[in-house]
Amino acid sequence: MTYFNIDKVSYEGPTSTNPFSFKYYNADEKIGDKTMKEHLRFSVAYWHTFTADLSDPFGVGTAQRDWDDLDEMDKAKARVEAIFEFMDKTGIEYFCFHDVDIAPEGKTLAETNANLDIITDLIKEKMDATGKKLLWNTANNFTHERFVHGAATSSHADVFAYTAAKVKKSLEIAKKLDAENFVFWGGREGYESLLNTDMKLELDNLARFFKMAKAYADEIGFTGQFLIEPKPKEPTSHQYDTDVATAHAFLQKYGLEDVFKFNIEANHATLAGHTFQHELRYARDNDMLGSVDANQGHPLLGWDTDEFPSDVYETTLAMYEILKNGGLTPGGLNFDAKPRRTSFAQEDLVLTHIVGMDAFALGLRVAHKMIEDRFFEDIVDNKYASYKEGLGAKIVNDTTSFAELEAHALELGDIDLESDRLEVIKSRINQYILTINNEG
Ligand code: XLS
Ligand code: NI
Ligand code: NI
């Protein structure tokens, strides 16, 4: 059975008008010392692309899929066939999933686990045959009603135990399928009101949970990178892993900073009132940048709309941070993004990934050129030049004191400061984006 009636999507260059072609993503082309494929490490999100029905809070699902009429287990098997065909045709090497995305939940945990065994056997067979890889998997500990008061931060110890059992199974799956990372997104780990919440106990328990997860991963020999995915709100009004800085402080408090890195989602950054670049920079500066959920929010909507990335300005700034980080490996760019409800045809799944891949490919081309030119690097070097010598160097080397600084200040006349010329930077980025060519 064929699910996508198209040829393999190939690179046709920026002037192509074929919607089923890449305009900027040329997998084997080298940008600097790596191919585009090696830089970008694209991944398909199972849930949005193969499980979701495109329903929203106001309307039923609109997605038209070949597997719609099958029973649950056959549906799960059809989706496995479909995602491997999809990865072959789009040239995407990686995929990601939650436990509930790939197999139906049974009446008991044991039944659910048995379903997972059947489907992960099938996935493993396909992986072995095709060489496709699992970027990360995770456990969905937020959809089912038992997680209404949280999962690892639930007010009920039985829910904590259930959550542990699900993560235990997911770690076993990660080991079985050789996942390169393992994600924790705290779906219901937050609160609605502090007046009925023991925040300290909940956060202490969350740390206990992470420590046990790490101990189990070590026990079974799973060596993939653990990732935390911050998000400030939605579904709870306050999510504990609000943003990178908050989650980093949490990890440091509990001595977990060497166990985790961050999986940074663009739309979560904007919900937190940050730019995507800010979150990437904060993580990079602290050696905590692990992976990326590549999507974008809608500028007029204040929730996690998970649109496919198409804004080249944003992808350029993101790729700037990623290149400065020395890449993302073992992380990647996972399209945690879905078609709009109005794009309900099966082939739309291909088109959405094309726009996202091209947007990041173009961002990579531009960012690489900017870094080669040292345009921003020279601006920054010049801006902080006063810290390279004299008293500035003493500040940076921790060899001065308030007394010496006061003595210096008392001798100063007017301090000569330079304009930042912010507009030159903005205009220069536009120039870079608009003039990049595919040989750039
Ligand atoms: C939800 C999150 C979720 C995580 C994985 O907003 O982005 O999809 O990526 O649980
Ligand atoms: Ni995400
Ligand atoms: Ni999200």
Side-chain angles (χ1 to χ4, degrees), residues 11-30:
Y11 172 71
E12 291 184 6
T15 56
S16 169
T17 53
N18 171 10
F20 289 95
S21 74
F22 294 121
K23 320 297 180 296
Y24 300 98
Y25 180 62
N26 189 11
D28 296 322
E29 181 184 330
K30 276 207 161 172

Side-chain angles (χ1 to χ4, degrees), residues 92-118:
I92 297 179
E93 296 290 299
Y94 291 92
F95 62 110
C96 295
F97 60 78
H98 304 81
D99 47 2
V100 305
D101 304 333
I102 58 167
E105 287 186 271
K107 284 194 200 67
T108 62
L109 184 59
E111 246 180 63
T112 302
N113 287 348
N115 290 346
L116 283 167
D117 289 341
I118 295 169

Side-chain angles (χ1 to χ4, degrees), residues 47-48 185 229-231 233-234 265-268 271 293 295 304-306 336-337:
W47 54 104
H48 284 312
W185 169 58
E229 183 176 325
K231 185 175 184 178
K233 58 189 170 192
E234 196 200 294
E265 180 164 322
N267 204 164
H268 296 182
L271 285 178
D293 269 3
N295 63 10
D304 200 14
T305 56
D306 289 337
D336 192 351

Side-chain angles (χ1 to χ4, degrees), residues 141-142 185-190 234-236 239:
N141 290 327
F142 44 90
W185 169 58
R188 303 265 166 202
E189 316 295 26
E234 196 200 294
T236 72
Q239 302 267 135

Side-chain angles (χ1 to χ4, degrees), residues 342-378:
T342 45
S343 296
F344 44 74
Q346 203 152 291
E347 67 182 24
D348 286 319
L349 298 175
V350 178
L351 298 173
T352 51
H353 283 76
I354 290 176
V355 70
M357 292 163 80
D358 269 338
F360 266 93
L362 186 49
L364 166 63
R365 290 176 189 277
V366 179
H368 174 74
K369 178 88 176 86
M370 293 190 325
I371 292 170
E372 249 190 348
D373 290 355
R374 288 191 52 84
F375 179 70
F376 298 108
E377 284 72 4
D378 288 345

